[in-house]
Amino acid sequence: QVQLVESGGGLVQAGGSLRLSCAASGRTFNSNTMGWFRRAPGKEREFVAAVGPIGWSGTNTDYADSVKGRFTISRDNAKNTVDLQMSSLTPEDTGVYYCAASLRVRGFPRWQSAYDYWGQGTQVTVSS
């Protein structure tokens, strides 16, 4: 059974940092794009960041404009994990963060239907 399990969420003050981790089990995603999405209270789930397979030529990551320069996505194929390092957090970053894996789409898809597996989410709350 394939599973994606997020961890690392919590409560942090504005300006602080958090590191989210997504652990995959049941199969490896070394050749696939992995992404992070989030759902803010009262809003739809939105794209945050994506990372392509290690070894791609050129840029291997993509970010939503709202997090560019503050968030960093990375992957560790040996551990089968994808992390999201978040810094300079603001209350607007509050939400449930989801990890996802795309089996069918190359590149950095920002639409949710491109992703085949999803985690259950981890809550991030940024206080002002």
Side-chain angles (χ1 to χ4, degrees):
Q1 180 181 2
V2 177
Q3 281 190 312
L4 299 177
V5 179
E6 302 94 337
S7 62
L11 174 64
V12 63
Q13 289 188 333
S17 300
L18 274 178
R19 188 178 185 89
L20 305 183
S21 186
C22 171
S25 62
R27 63 159 291 162
T28 61
F29 295 99
N30 297 350
S31 300
N32 305 111
T33 292
M34 303 290 292
W36 282 94
F37 287 73
R38 68 185 180 189
R39 188 195 305 274
K43 296 184 178 181
E44 296 190 356
R45 189 158 56 182
E46 64 176 1
F47 170 81
V48 174
V51 59
I54 293 175
W56 272 12
S57 60
T59 302
N60 194 41
T61 57
D62 187 34
Y63 298 91
D65 288 345
S66 59
V67 307
K68 198 171 294 183
R70 300 187 299 122
F71 290 13
T72 302
I73 188 172
S74 61
R75 68 190 303 163
D76 186 330
N77 285 350
K79 296 180 180 179
N80 213 16
T81 58
V82 177
D83 290 353
L84 184 68
Q85 176 67 46
M86 308 185 294
S87 60
S88 302
L89 287 163
T90 73
E92 287 69 38
D93 294 316
T94 293
V96 179
Y97 282 70
Y98 300 89
C99 172
S102 176
L103 301 184
R104 298 168 285 114
V105 180
R106 289 182 60 83
F108 310 107
R110 297 189 174 200
W111 59 99
Q112 296 181 54
S113 61
Y115 293 82
D116 302 279
Y117 293 102
W118 292 83
Q120 81 291 347
T122 185
Q123 176 70 43
V124 171
T125 303
V126 184
S127 63
S128 57

